[in-house]
Amino acid sequence: MTTAIIDYGMGNVRSLSNALEYVGNDVVLTKDPGALADADRLLLPGVGAFGDAMAAINASGLRPLLDRLALEERKPVLGVCLGMQLFAKRSLEHGVHEGLGWLDAEVLPMRPTPPSKVPHVGWNAITPMPAHDWLFDGLPAGESDFYFVHSFHMVCHDSVDCAATCEHGGTFTAAVARGNLVATQFHPEKSQDNGLQLLTNWLNREF
Amino acid sequence: MLKKRIIPKFLIRGGRLVKLRRFDDDQREAGNPVSTAKVYDSYGIDELIFLDIDATREGRVVASSVIERVAEEVFIPFTVGGGVRSLDEIEALLKAGADKVSINSAAAADPGFVTRAASRFGDQCIVASIDYRQLSDGSRPVFAAGGQTAVGQDAIDWALRLQDAHAGEILLSSIDRDGMMTGYDLDLIAALSDRLNVPLIASSGAGSLADCKAALDAGASAITISSMFIFTDHSPIKVRTYLNTNGVPVRSQKGSRS
């Protein structure tokens, strides 16, 4: 099975690629429409600002293809960090920016109760939602910590899309899932064993 | 609940790890960066920091070849610093696999550089590093270029200014405590973490398990440990177990892959 990491020029994809290879998946980093269409799965990475990332995706010319693969062909897509936020309809990060709109959601600044800090950086425990617990199969009993680093968070207007929550001076969405679309606010590729387990669960899931 | 982070901090010189005392050149050899990173990854450490201590002086940026090799071997986040003064250099380090980039001398020359970097790569990518001395009159002046150039700023004011410039985290290092293993600068950690909205990474001074707890209790979001790991028998597992037992929220499970 091959996962294509969508190369739109943003983000630290080396770690994602290393982690997917570590759990036994073939990985290509590509912006070639043919290679994206041929891949079994897609991964949307992202580090940086929402507006810049959407501008890069729109400028790449890949937007119609990605919409078709994700929404019509229902190819499995995993979004990571900013990649998850891009699934939303819009973001209020430094202005108002239109997102991919794959989920009925929006991205807002984190405003945790003090003394919690922003950015939310570090290892935090997530609470899986029962409807999506396949994504968290095989994690050790007790709290499962994943690595987060972000200043904005996604709010799902359809609460059934929320796959896990997390606490940081308030509750926010840590992962989302709707059919073939799955995404995590945390970085599985930086979350050691828990992250590798989650990537394995995603790769083993039949959508 | 967000856990407090334990972060080994490594100094790189000529492709090797070294330890200094008070930023002077009385260096001690401390190993190979890649194999050492692997060992700490197997301990389930929370993050790593690598600083190339000669890069600024030598007018170059930290070697991305070392970063690439580390990124291939470990699945935890790491921060890289040393001589970074352009957006292209930050991009190259992130592409090589670094998660965050530490900026020190370039911020001293122009805090606007932090703003430009944060706006392009996101605040969370940019760690503003502050090195300061503690003078007998109680002042804490900031120094750049590996402790060599006075910036003309007080540590608290400078930290707040870099936060305003959109630094995502502040890495605070006491030149006088560096490598001395006599405890962190708790007064400054408490004063700063009270006033900062961004996470504070306290560096310099860890010599005992109690030192680590004291810095985190004072409000630091994370502590760096260097000499204590290299020169004592306190492992990351021992530190985490101690903190956990004594009521400090830290990651409980080990992260090592078999």
Side-chain angles (χ1 to χ4, degrees), chain A residues 40-53:
Chain A
D40 301 296
R41 286 165 188 251
L42 300 176
L43 194 146
L44 184 63
V47 167
F50 190 102
D52 290 355

Side-chain angles (χ1 to χ4, degrees), chain A residues 9-15 18-20 22 47-49 52 93-94 116-125 140 143-145 147-151 167-168 187-194 196, chain B residues 1-3 5 41 44-47 68 71-72 75-78 94-100 119-125 166 168-169 193 196-199 221 251-258:
Chain A
M10 298 273 294
N12 168 2
V13 296
R14 182 178 293 268
S15 309
N18 287 342
L20 283 168
Y22 188 90
V47 167
D52 290 355
E93 179 176 353
H94 307 307
S116 293
K117 310 288 189 187
V118 178
H120 173 228
V121 184
W123 299 81
N124 204 336
E143 287 199 340
S144 292
D145 288 322
Y147 189 82
F148 291 84
V149 49
H150 61 117
S151 304
E167 301 291 328
H168 181 60
H187 287 269
E189 80 282 14
K190 292 288 173 179
S191 297
Q192 290 189 312
D193 284 3
N194 288 349
L196 296 172
Chain B
M1 178 181 204
L2 182 64
K3 308 302 187 290
R5 288 170 283 155
D41 182 38
I45 205 72
D46 297 322
E47 283 183 30
E68 284 176 13
E72 279 166 20
F75 295 110
I76 46 174
F78 62 94
L94 295 177
K95 280 209 165 129
D99 298 277
K100 300 185 258 185
S119 112
R120 171 129 160 230
F121 303 104
D123 296 12
Q124 78 289 335
C125 255
H166 286 274
E169 291 179 277
S193 55
L196 284 174
N197 300 315
V198 300
S221 295
R251 205 150 62 103
S252 55
Q253 74 248 30
K254 280 207 313 172
S256 61
R257 292 174 300 283
S258 49

Side-chain angles (χ1 to χ4, degrees), chain A residues 50 81-88 93 107 152-154 185:
Chain A
F50 190 102
C81 197
L82 177 62
M84 163 167 139
Q85 297 182 358
L86 296 175
F87 284 15
E93 179 176 353
V107 177
F152 292 79
H153 69 112
M154 186 191 269
Q185 180 61 66

Side-chain angles (χ1 to χ4, degrees), chain A residues 96-112:
Chain A
V96 181
H97 303 278
E98 186 205 349
L100 292 168
W102 295 349
L103 294 180
D104 186 8
E106 65 186 328
V107 177
L108 302 175
M110 297 192 80
R111 302 231 190 276

